Coordinates of all heavy atoms in Angstrom, one line a residue:
V119 N -19.4 11.2 15.0 CA -18.9 11.8 13.7 C -17.7 12.7 14.0 O -16.8 12.8 13.2 CB -20.1 12.6 13.1 CG1 -19.6 13.4 11.9 CG2 -21.2 11.7 12.7
N120 N -17.7 13.4 15.1 CA -16.5 14.2 15.5 C -15.3 13.3 15.6 O -14.2 13.7 15.2 CB -16.7 15.0 16.8 CG -17.4 16.4 16.5 OD1 -16.8 17.4 16.7 ND2 -18.7 16.4 16.0
T121 N -15.4 12.2 16.2 CA -14.3 11.2 16.2 C -13.8 10.9 14.8 O -12.6 10.8 14.6 CB -14.7 9.9 17.0 OG1 -15.3 10.4 18.3 CG2 -13.6 9.0 17.2
R122 N -14.8 10.6 14.0 CA -14.4 10.2 12.6 C -13.6 11.3 11.9 O -12.6 11.1 11.2 CB -15.7 9.9 11.8 CG -15.5 8.9 10.7 CD -16.8 8.6 10.1 NE -17.7 7.8 10.9 CZ -19.1 7.9 10.8 NH1 -19.7 8.6 9.9 NH2 -19.8 7.2 11.6
F123 N -14.1 12.6 12.1 CA -13.3 13.7 11.5 C -11.9 13.8 12.1 O -10.9 14.0 11.4 CB -14.1 15.0 11.8 CG -15.1 15.4 10.8 CD1 -16.3 14.9 10.7 CD2 -14.7 16.4 9.8 CE1 -17.2 15.3 9.7 CE2 -15.6 16.8 8.8 CZ -16.9 16.2 8.8
A124 N -11.8 13.6 13.5 CA -10.5 13.8 14.1 C -9.6 12.7 13.6 O -8.4 13.0 13.3 CB -10.7 13.6 15.6
E125 N -10.1 11.5 13.4 CA -9.2 10.4 12.9 C -8.7 10.7 11.5 O -7.6 10.4 11.1 CB -10.0 9.1 12.9 CG -10.2 8.5 14.3 CD -11.3 7.4 14.4 OE1 -11.9 7.1 13.4 OE2 -11.4 6.8 15.4
Q126 N -9.6 11.2 10.6 CA -9.2 11.5 9.3 C -8.1 12.6 9.3 O -7.1 12.6 8.5 CB -10.4 12.0 8.4 CG -11.5 11.0 8.2 CD -11.0 9.9 7.3 OE1 -10.1 10.0 6.5 NE2 -11.6 8.7 7.4
V127 N -8.3 13.6 10.1 CA -7.4 14.7 10.1 C -6.0 14.2 10.6 O -5.0 14.5 10.1 CB -7.8 15.9 11.1 CG1 -6.7 16.9 11.3 CG2 -9.1 16.5 10.6
A128 N -6.1 13.3 11.7 CA -4.8 12.8 12.2 C -4.0 12.0 11.1 O -2.8 12.0 11.1 CB -5.2 11.8 13.4
K129 N -4.7 11.4 10.2 CA -4.1 10.6 9.1 C -3.3 11.5 8.1 O -2.3 11.1 7.6 CB -5.1 9.8 8.4 CG -5.4 8.5 9.1 CD -6.3 7.6 8.2 CE -6.8 6.5 9.1 NZ -8.1 6.0 8.6
V130 N -3.9 12.7 7.8 CA -3.3 13.5 6.7 C -2.5 14.6 7.2 O -1.8 15.3 6.4 CB -4.4 14.1 5.8 CG1 -5.1 13.0 5.0 CG2 -5.4 14.9 6.5
A131 N -2.4 14.9 8.5 CA -1.6 16.0 9.0 C -0.1 15.6 9.1 O 0.2 14.5 9.7 CB -2.1 16.4 10.4
A132 N 0.8 16.4 8.5 CA 2.2 16.2 8.6 C 2.7 16.4 10.0 O 2.0 17.1 10.8 CB 2.9 17.1 7.6
P133 N 3.9 15.9 10.4 CA 4.4 16.2 11.8 C 4.4 17.7 12.0 O 4.9 18.5 11.1 CB 5.8 15.6 11.7 CG 5.7 14.6 10.7 CD 4.7 15.1 9.7
G134 N 3.9 18.2 13.1 CA 3.9 19.6 13.4 C 2.9 20.4 12.6 O 3.0 21.7 12.5
A135 N 2.0 19.8 11.9 CA 1.1 20.6 10.9 C 0.2 21.6 11.7 O 0.0 21.5 12.9 CB 0.2 19.6 10.2
T136 N -0.3 22.5 10.9 CA -1.4 23.4 11.4 C -2.7 22.9 11.0 O -2.9 22.6 9.8 CB -1.1 24.8 10.8 OG1 0.2 25.3 11.2 CG2 -2.2 25.8 11.2
V137 N -3.6 22.7 12.0 CA -5.0 22.2 11.7 C -6.0 23.3 12.0 O -5.9 23.8 13.1 CB -5.3 21.0 12.5 CG1 -6.7 20.5 12.2 CG2 -4.2 19.9 12.2
W138 N -6.8 23.6 11.1 CA -7.8 24.7 11.3 C -9.2 24.0 11.2 O -9.6 23.6 10.1 CB -7.7 25.8 10.2 CG -8.6 27.0 10.4 CD1 -9.6 27.0 11.3 CD2 -8.5 28.2 9.8 NE1 -10.2 28.3 11.2 CE2 -9.5 29.0 10.3 CE3 -7.6 28.7 8.8 CZ2 -9.7 30.3 9.8 CZ3 -7.9 30.0 8.3 CH2 -8.9 30.8 8.9
V139 N -9.9 23.9 12.3 CA -11.2 23.3 12.4 C -12.3 24.4 12.3 O -12.1 25.4 13.0 CB -11.4 22.5 13.7 CG1 -12.7 21.8 13.8 CG2 -10.2 21.5 13.9
H140 N -13.4 24.1 11.6 CA -14.4 25.2 11.4 C -15.7 24.8 12.1 O -16.2 23.7 11.8 CB -14.7 25.4 9.9 CG -13.6 26.2 9.3 ND1 -13.6 27.6 9.2 CD2 -12.4 25.8 8.8 CE1 -12.5 28.0 8.6 NE2 -11.7 26.9 8.3
D141 N -16.3 25.7 12.8 CA -17.7 25.7 13.2 C -18.2 24.8 14.2 O -17.6 23.8 14.6 CB -18.5 25.7 11.9 CG -19.5 26.9 11.8 OD1 -19.5 27.6 12.7 OD2 -20.2 27.0 10.8
Y142 N -19.5 25.1 14.5 CA -20.2 24.4 15.6 C -20.4 22.9 15.4 O -20.7 22.2 16.4 CB -21.6 25.1 15.9 CG -22.5 25.0 14.7 CD1 -23.6 24.2 14.7 CD2 -22.3 25.8 13.6 CE1 -24.5 24.1 13.7 CE2 -23.2 25.7 12.5 CZ -24.3 24.9 12.6 OH -25.2 24.8 11.5
Q143 N -20.4 22.4 14.2 CA -20.6 21.0 14.0 C -19.4 20.2 14.5 O -19.5 19.0 14.7 CB -20.8 20.7 12.5 CG -21.9 21.4 11.8 CD -21.5 22.6 11.1 OE1 -20.4 23.1 11.3 NE2 -22.4 23.2 10.3
L144 N -18.2 20.8 14.7 CA -17.0 20.1 15.0 C -16.4 20.5 16.3 O -15.1 20.7 16.4 CB -16.0 20.2 13.8 CG -16.5 19.7 12.5 CD1 -15.5 19.9 11.4 CD2 -17.0 18.2 12.5
Q145 N -17.1 20.8 17.3 CA -16.5 21.4 18.6 C -15.8 20.3 19.4 O -15.0 20.7 20.2 CB -17.7 22.0 19.4 CG -18.3 23.2 18.7 CD -19.4 23.7 19.6 OE1 -19.3 24.7 20.3 NE2 -20.6 23.1 19.4
L146 N -16.0 19.0 19.1 CA -15.2 18.1 19.9 C -13.9 17.7 19.2 O -13.0 17.0 19.8 CB -16.1 16.8 20.1 CG -17.5 17.0 20.7 CD1 -18.2 15.6 20.9 CD2 -17.4 17.7 22.0
V147 N -13.8 18.1 18.0 CA -12.6 17.6 17.2 C -11.3 18.1 17.8 O -10.3 17.3 17.9 CB -12.7 18.1 15.7 CG1 -11.4 18.0 15.0 CG2 -13.8 17.3 15.0
P148 N -11.1 19.4 18.3 CA -9.8 19.8 18.9 C -9.3 18.8 19.9 O -8.1 18.3 19.8 CB -10.1 21.2 19.4 CG -11.2 21.7 18.6 CD -12.1 20.5 18.3
A149 N -10.1 18.4 20.9 CA -9.6 17.6 22.0 C -9.4 16.1 21.5 O -8.4 15.5 21.9 CB -10.6 17.6 23.2
L150 N -10.3 15.7 20.6 CA -10.1 14.3 20.1 C -8.9 14.2 19.3 O -8.1 13.2 19.3 CB -11.4 14.0 19.2 CG -12.7 13.8 20.0 CD1 -13.9 13.8 19.0 CD2 -12.7 12.5 20.8
L151 N -8.6 15.3 18.5 CA -7.4 15.3 17.7 C -6.1 15.4 18.5 O -5.1 14.7 18.2 CB -7.5 16.4 16.7 CG -6.3 16.6 15.8 CD1 -6.0 15.4 14.9 CD2 -6.5 17.9 14.9
R152 N -6.2 16.2 19.6 CA -5.0 16.3 20.4 C -4.6 15.0 21.0 O -3.4 14.7 21.2 CB -5.2 17.4 21.5 CG -4.0 17.7 22.4 CD -4.1 18.9 23.1 NE -4.2 20.1 22.3 CZ -3.1 20.6 21.6 NH1 -1.9 20.1 21.8 NH2 -3.3 21.7 20.9

Side-chain angles (χ1 to χ4, degrees):
V119 173
N120 272 247
T121 305
R122 210 175 291 153
F123 269 82
E125 286 167 355
Q126 295 290 341
V127 173
K129 280 190 191 149
V130 291
T136 297
V137 178
W138 186 348
V139 184
H140 287 267
D141 232 357
Y142 63 104
Q143 300 95 347
L144 302 181
Q145 294 177 98
L146 308 182
V147 167
L150 291 165
L151 177 61
R152 184 163 296 283

